[in-house]
Amino acid sequence: MSPAIVLEVQTHYKEEELLESPEFQKGVKHLCERGITKVPRKYILPALDRPISPKKDGATSFKLPIIDFSQLQGPDRIHALKSLSKACEEYGFFQLINHGIARQSILDMIEAGRKFFELSFEERSKYMSKDVRAPVRYGTSFNQNKDRVFCWRDFLKLDCHPLSDVLPYWPSSPTELRQAAVNYSKETKFLYLMVVGAILESLGLAETTKDIDENDGDDHIIKEFQDGSQLLVVNCYPSCPEPDLTLGIPPHSDYGFLTLLLQDEVTGLQIQHQGRWVTVEPIPNSFVINVGDHLEIFSNGRYRSVLHRVLVNPLRSRISIASLHSLPFGSMVRPSPKLINDANPRRYKDTDFASFIEYIASHEHRSKNFLDSRRLT
């Protein structure tokens, strides 16, 4: 056997040894820092689940509906609300421009997130936890406790509500992370509340912000949104030697009410639209906003959460920051009574965060399986 073949076999064997050890639980970034040239088997999807390269698939970049936030605040609000309703009904996603969040706040958050993943593994690992309720959690894959095949992603999750309670648990390194995340979380929470107000109005529930019948199932809904949960997720997708074999995140829907996603300049997000996976091109200084499972339940199916996934890149790492919002953890999520009638009967069971957390702790997350478990029909 030639020395070159021996070296190749030894290298392959060494990489598979990594797979059989707990090394993959330490994250993709750690594996890459150790030096790998092939995707370990733990990350290789079954052939039918693997992504098809956009070039091979003949797919082109996809433009989501664009909602101009400034129009929602001005005399064109009625027209903007119609566009918002159409986007939520037909796509489940839209891009929000002119949102009013300072560019510097966005750049500071992206840079702080990037610097966290540049810390040594010893520093990052201080925040590793399998407890999905932890106020701060560094982890890998989608659900590393249950995933049979891991995805090519590490994450830092920061619980943001109430800030005064959770802030002491947040990472102290890099030094700028806490302040950047505090500023960013406050600004995205305000933006979320403004968008939620527009969504309620687009659903014909604008009266919930004014005179609410206390016997109505929607009473105090605005107060609940104000006191609602917020989770900041900084995603890191390292460059991948064999991107056609794995995914950054597998197909899934988000469990909350709305997600505000900030992308860097590297493409990767795909949504399922009309039976095809299409790539969403980042628009500078915009947010990708998507309907979550809780909004689908609340709207009684009028607005639907949509499957999305993340591709990885052979040459460039990618950072994204998701701000996930919903009602308070103790609240019950149910279809709005005002959206239920003989023509549109109730379609979903009541649900809460406890049910969701129990479900993901005991199931491998696949597509919209949690939401499917809440359907009445």
Side-chain angles (χ1 to χ4, degrees), residues 49-226:
D49 294 337
R50 295 174 194 171
I52 299 174
S53 167
K55 292 181 180 179
K56 295 178 182 177
D57 192 31
T60 58
S61 61
F62 181 73
K63 293 185 178 179
L64 289 175
I66 295 176
I67 304 298
D68 188 333
F69 183 71
S70 64
Q71 290 185 357
L72 284 171
Q73 308 307 306
D76 292 332
R77 183 173 176 84
I78 293 177
H79 174 75
L81 286 172
K82 289 180 180 178
S83 298
L84 178 64
S85 179
K86 181 179 174 69
C88 291
E89 285 184 2
E90 297 183 7
Y91 295 86
F93 274 79
F94 57 90
Q95 302 239 44
L96 190 73
I97 62 171
N98 296 325
H99 45 70
I101 294 182
R103 179 67 174 158
Q104 194 58 51
S105 294
I106 289 172
L107 294 175
D108 289 348
M109 188 63 232
I110 291 176
E111 185 61 20
R114 184 173 284 114
K115 284 185 177 180
F116 175 83
F117 290 103
E118 290 173 353
L119 296 173
S120 67
F121 172 73
E122 288 70 28
E123 186 65 27
R124 298 194 306 269
S125 66
K126 292 177 182 178
Y127 306 99
M128 294 194 87
S129 172
K130 292 184 178 181
D131 180 6
V132 296
R133 300 173 182 83
V136 56
R137 187 158 70 99
Y138 172 61
T140 192
S141 193
F142 197 89
N143 180 355
Q144 67 196 84
N145 301 328
K146 291 292 178 181
D147 293 344
R148 286 172 292 179
V149 178
F150 271 26
C151 52
W152 202 261
R153 167 236 194 186
D154 292 345
F155 61 80
L156 174 67
K157 295 186 176 182
L158 302 173
D159 189 357
C160 299
H161 187 77
L163 269 175
S164 58
D165 291 352
V166 298
L167 189 57
Y169 297 96
W170 286 8
S172 54
S173 294
T175 54
E176 60 266 49
L177 175 62
R178 284 190 181 183
Q179 192 58 57
V182 165
N183 294 342
Y184 185 80
S185 65
K186 288 180 177 178
E187 293 191 83
T188 49
K189 180 62 175 283
F190 177 80
L191 180 61
Y192 160 73
L193 291 173
M194 298 297 286
V195 174
V196 160
I199 282 178
L200 292 177
E201 192 171 341
S202 75
L203 286 168
L205 302 174
E207 63 271 24
T208 59
T209 67
K210 300 175 185 176
D211 300 321
I212 301 171
D213 179 354
E214 291 190 358
N215 295 318
D216 189 306
D218 287 330
D219 61 335
H220 306 306
I221 192 70
I222 293 300
K223 182 68 165 62
E224 282 201 280
F225 284 123
Q226 290 171 341

Side-chain angles (χ1 to χ4, degrees), residues 14 95 106 156 197 237 251 276 309-310 312 315 324 352 356:
K14 184 176 180 181
Q95 302 239 44
I106 289 172
L156 174 67
Y237 306 98
R276 292 189 65 189
R309 68 183 188 180
V310 176
V312 288
L315 301 176
L324 291 88
D352 56 16
F356 172 74

Side-chain angles (χ1 to χ4, degrees), residues 344-356:
N344 189 34
R346 183 184 176 117
R347 301 177 187 276
Y348 303 91
K349 307 172 188 176
D350 290 0
T351 191
D352 56 16
F353 274 105
S355 300
F356 172 74

